Amino acid sequence: MRRLILSDIHANLEALEAVLADACNQYDEIVCCGDLVGYGASPAEVVAWARRNAAVIVRGNHDRACAGIEAMEDFNNAARDAALWTRHQLPYSDLAWLAALPAGPLRYELFEVAHGSPIDEDEYLVSDFEAYSVSRYIERPVSFIGHTHLQGLWSFRAGEFRKAPPVKPGQHEHSYTLDPASVYLVNPGAVGQPRDGDPRAGYALWDDASGTLLLRRVAYDIAGAQARIRQAGLPEHLASRLAHGR
Ligand code: ZN
């Protein structure tokens, strides 16, 4: 099966549409690693799309916050303002659906999905050491995570690990052939709010039959997403940061 792996869409419809166009006809099923909403100005559109199209979704901390089941103690002011705004935009049925999303990890035959890490949905895996520390808890050949908004792929084999090189600015994708003797931790990157300095939307494609995994970046209508955020009266920082990918 060929899967489209998405994370941290964050109500950015322009970025989501660009990813879907770029990945068109290259997948059979959609997997989401959480944070459908929060920060961006199109929560209703993104939730409606996810309800119709995603086969696998775990909840993210912003999904919990927008649904009203998270105290938001770790949220900065912009994140809290956006969560409260989002709560007012969504009908009750969408809020109830968000609140009922499962916590990761969800485990399937060949892969598992979590928001933060395989042991804690709120853990940030940024450094190689942090990734290595959770590697022994990975129970499937491939573990997909999100949360940090940093695209990346680590492989672990017999106590050794490797971080794959990132997709560089100007490159569309990196292709990896997965080794059946290794396990992998993969962050597809953020669709809606990248934070690694490359403002393009990030996503992954994985074909479990051929063992091919692609990390990709695609340009999108950043000005359009920014205009919607400003029009909604959301904090200016949430609009301006999209241009920098920070
Ligand atoms: Zn997020």
Side-chain angles (χ1 to χ4, degrees):
M1 167 128 20
R2 302 169 308 161
R3 291 184 180 85
L4 172 63
I5 318 291
L6 306 178
S7 192
D8 299 281
I9 299 169
H10 281 296
N12 186 334
L13 185 63
E14 287 76 10
L16 176 62
E17 286 176 339
V19 164
L20 294 174
D22 195 56
C24 185
N25 297 326
Q26 294 161 72
Y27 60 89
D28 309 303
E29 185 175 284
I30 296 172
V31 173
C32 287
C33 307
D35 279 0
L36 295 168
V37 293
Y39 296 136
S42 303
E45 294 88 341
V46 169
V47 169
W49 170 84
R51 292 183 72 166
R52 275 198 310 274
N53 296 293
V56 174
I57 312 180
V58 294
R59 68 186 188 182
N61 52 322
H62 288 261
D63 300 321
R64 298 202 310 271
C66 295
I69 57 167
E70 153 69 44
M72 299 197 279
E73 280 164 4
D74 298 334
F75 278 46
N76 59 36
N77 289 341
R80 188 178 296 116
D81 288 354
L84 294 174
W85 177 86
T86 301
R87 210 178 288 172
H88 288 289
Q89 304 304 310
L90 294 176
Y92 177 77
S93 62
D94 282 349
L95 294 173
W97 179 82
L98 282 174
L101 286 175
L106 294 181
R107 294 197 164 98
Y108 300 89
E109 189 184 348
L110 298 173
F111 69 105
E112 58 184 37
V113 186
H115 185 57
S117 96
I119 49 173
D120 177 352
E121 63 179 333
D122 291 327
E123 182 177 14
Y124 288 91
L125 299 180
V126 176
S127 69
D128 290 350
F129 176 75
E130 287 161 342
Y132 181 72
S133 319
V134 301
S135 60
R136 64 198 169 109
Y137 301 103
I138 298 173
E139 295 187 12
R140 296 294 183 272
V142 188
S143 182
F144 293 106
I145 55 156
H147 196 37
T148 61
H149 299 205
L150 302 172
Q151 190 176 53
L153 181 151
W154 289 276
S155 61
F156 309 94
R157 181 179 179 172
E160 301 210 339
F161 71 97
R162 241 180 241 171
K163 174 101 190 267
V167 181
K168 295 195 179 77
Q171 284 181 330
H172 180 222
E173 67 180 31
H174 250 307
S175 174
Y176 308 90
T177 303
L178 304 189
D179 161 22
S182 298
V183 297
Y184 293 86
L185 184 64
V186 180
N187 187 327
V191 172
Q193 194 196 78
R195 293 182 190 162
D196 55 7
D198 183 342
R200 297 177 298 167
Y203 73 98
L205 287 165
W206 173 49
D207 180 344
D208 63 32
S210 67
T212 307
L213 193 138
L214 304 175
L215 292 182
R216 278 196 180 162
R217 302 302 281 259
V218 59
Y220 73 95
D221 177 14
I222 291 175
Q226 291 175 317
R228 252 191 239 253
I229 287 170
R230 290 176 177 132
Q231 203 170 8
L234 287 163
E236 167 59 26
H237 176 58
L238 297 179
S240 58
R241 69 183 302 172
L242 295 179
H244 311 294
R246 295 281 181 201

